[in-house]
Structure formats: structure tokens, C-alpha cells
Amino acid sequence: MDMKAARPVIIAGNWKMNTTPASAGALASEIARATEVDGVTRVLCPPFVALAAVRDALAGTGVEVGAQNVHAEVAGAYTGEVSAQMLAGLASWAIVGHSERRRDQGESDELIGRKLVRCVEQGLRPILCVGEQLEEREAGNAEDTVRVQLERATAEVRRQGSELPPDLVVAYEPVWAIGTGRTARGSDAAVMAQLIRLVLDESGIEGGAENVPVLYGGSVTSAAIDEFLAEPDIDGALVGGASLKVDEMAGIVARAGMTASARRQTKDGAA
Ligand code: PGA
């Protein structure tokens, strides 16, 4: 069986620090209505305070709800923080290790590894973000950077006595492409997706890395997504700014639907 054809196509929207509990439900509903396309897994990640409103708005639409972060500990004296278990009934996905948190909260790969463990315990499907800085790419170190990020996080998961979740999703997000209007090249992102699966295979991920969806993130728009979805190694996108715009999400998911349908045909043809 062609395992590539079996991987799902996923479009996840990261709303970051935008929307309010009062505005988020309506936006989520509009996006759900505008993105009814076969074969695409859709996920919206609003701020914590809007999770309940978005969950209610998305009930019955097939669009899933994700958190933008979880704390590395289960519970305790961590003022202002949100643990994975607090998300029960609110979210089924969680973004972990986003570059804005690595940058602003100084999140290390080891801390991110512990967050992955919390996701596993809670049954949250993690979207683990990795990606290099511009200087690292210019110095020819992009692949080493991503390899080390994955290896360190994975080693920490093991140190905690846990395993990488078999439903792991990885988002390759070059930091220089996030919010800048500048995207990576599809071919560079595909090389990185191959490296990500290689490193996950080396780590012994259950079920093998061939089944792990790898998304691209960084200034994805309906106009820019094409060259990423044209790459068989890339299984969708983590979308920031454009995920707040209904028309943009409609265009992005429509394009993803074409990839999903082409993959189904390849799979059926191969069966
Ligand atoms: P962007 O953000 O699409 O606004 O560049 C992507 C992300 O940070 O996940």
C-alpha cells in the first residue's frame, strides 16, 4: 500500500492572540461553513478563553478544536498557566513548541518534550512545531537545527518514561517565514519534511514516521499554499494570519481538498 497516499490532509488555523469569547464563535462558524470540503481535516486553535465558544460553534460541523499551548506540568503553583487536563472537553488538539513561545517564553526543546508527554496523557493530538531562524538557514544549518529540535524533544519524552504519540503531527515552520509574508520554497519544505520523518524513524516512533503528517507553516495564504500541497511529502498547513479570514480559509481548504482527492485516487488505484 502506498503509505503516502494514506496520510490525511490537515489544515490547522492558529488564531494566536486574536478574537474574544464574544467574537470567536461567529468566526469559527463562518469558517466551518466556507470550508466544507471532503477529505480535509480542519482544526481551529483559538485563544484559551475562546475555546468553549468555538467548541460550541463547531459542534456538528466536523471542524476540530485545538489549544495553542499546554503547560509542561500536570497541575500546581503555576499562576496564569493552563494544563493539558484543563482542556478536557474543550480541545482535542494542541500546538506545542510554537516558535513565538520558544522566542517569547524561552521554551526549550526539553520543556517542549514534557509538553508532548502531557498531551499524550490527556489524549490531545499534538502539532509539534519546529523550524530554523534565518541566520541558521543562511549559515547552512537549517537541517541540523530541526534535527536537534526533534532529537532533544524526543529524548525528553523518553526520559519521562513516555513515547512519542503515534498520532503526532509535525509542523515545519521556518521562523523567518512566520508573519513576514515570505514563504519557504515548496522544495525546501519537502526536504525538511523528509528529514523530519527520518529523525522520527531513528527515534523509533511507534508505527513508523511514514504515517506522521508533516505540515508547512509560515505566511500560508490561499495564493501561497499551492507549491506546498504540490509536494507529496507535505500534508497540509498550519496557518496563522490567514486563518482569521474566512475567504482565505475557504481558498486554502479548497486547494487542500484537491490534494486529498488526488491522494484518494492514488490510493484506490494502488489498492
Ligand atoms: P503566519 O503564522 O501564517 O501568520 O505566518 C503561521 C504560524 O505561526 O503558525
Side-chain angles (χ1 to χ4, degrees):
M1 178 176 148
D2 182 355
M3 296 308 283
K4 277 182 187 164
R7 281 199 305 265
V9 179
I10 300 170
I11 299 296
N14 172 10
W15 287 357
K16 307 193 179 183
M17 200 170 72
N18 296 292
T19 72
T20 66
S23 71
L27 177 60
S29 298
E30 282 179 56
I31 291 174
R33 265 199 304 276
T35 57
E36 282 173 5
V37 171
D38 270 357
V40 181
T41 301
R42 297 163 293 164
V43 187
L44 292 177
C45 305
F48 287 128
V49 294
L51 280 170
V54 168
R55 173 203 57 195
D56 293 348
L58 294 179
T61 63
V63 182
E64 298 173 46
V65 184
Q68 296 175 15
N69 180 40
V70 297
H71 196 267
E73 302 297 332
V74 176
Y78 303 101
T79 303
E81 295 292 338
V82 175
S83 71
Q85 65 184 12
M86 291 176 190
L87 297 170
L90 287 171
S92 49
W93 295 65
I95 298 171
V96 170
H98 191 279
S99 69
E100 284 154 13
R101 298 198 57 86
R102 292 177 188 258
R103 179 194 69 199
D104 300 338
Q105 275 75 35
E107 290 194 0
S108 67
D109 296 308
E110 288 72 21
L111 183 91
I112 290 161
R114 295 208 298 284
K115 292 182 177 210
L116 287 172
V117 176
R118 299 290 91 80
C119 288
V120 173
E121 290 166 352
Q122 191 56 45
L124 287 167
R125 187 169 190 185
I127 302 177
L128 168 63
C129 300
V130 295
E132 81 284 357
Q133 311 272 345
L134 186 57
E135 311 81 72
E136 290 164 333
R137 176 155 287 274
E138 285 175 345
N141 293 332
E143 293 183 30
D144 282 352
T145 300
V146 168
R147 169 179 278 281
V148 168
Q149 288 173 337
L150 281 171
E151 285 177 347
R152 288 194 178 150
T154 303
E156 182 62 25
V157 171
R158 288 270 155 74
R159 220 177 60 78
Q160 299 287 325
S162 189
E163 293 288 336
L164 284 177
D167 65 352
L168 176 72
V169 175
V170 179
Y172 167 57
E173 301 206 301
V175 177
W176 47 271
I178 295 178
T180 58
R182 187 177 163 195
T183 58
R185 276 201 298 263
S187 53
D188 287 342
V191 166
M192 208 55 101
Q194 288 162 14
L195 173 83
I196 287 165
R197 291 201 181 91
L198 177 71
V199 177
L200 291 176
D201 267 333
E202 288 169 1
S203 82
I205 187 169
E206 195 191 325
E210 195 55 36
N211 293 318
V212 175
V214 177
L215 314 182
Y216 167 78
S219 298
V220 169
T221 61
S222 56
I225 193 157
D226 226 47
E227 74 173 282
F228 300 101
L229 288 175
E231 297 288 344
D233 289 304
I234 297 178
D235 304 308
L238 180 53
V239 185
S243 73
L244 292 157
K245 298 179 186 149
V246 178
D247 289 354
E248 279 294 313
M249 281 300 271
I252 290 167
V253 176
R255 176 62 187 80
M258 289 161 58
T259 298
S261 136
R263 287 186 179 192
R264 268 199 310 275
Q265 278 161 24
T266 310
K267 191 179 155 210
D268 292 347

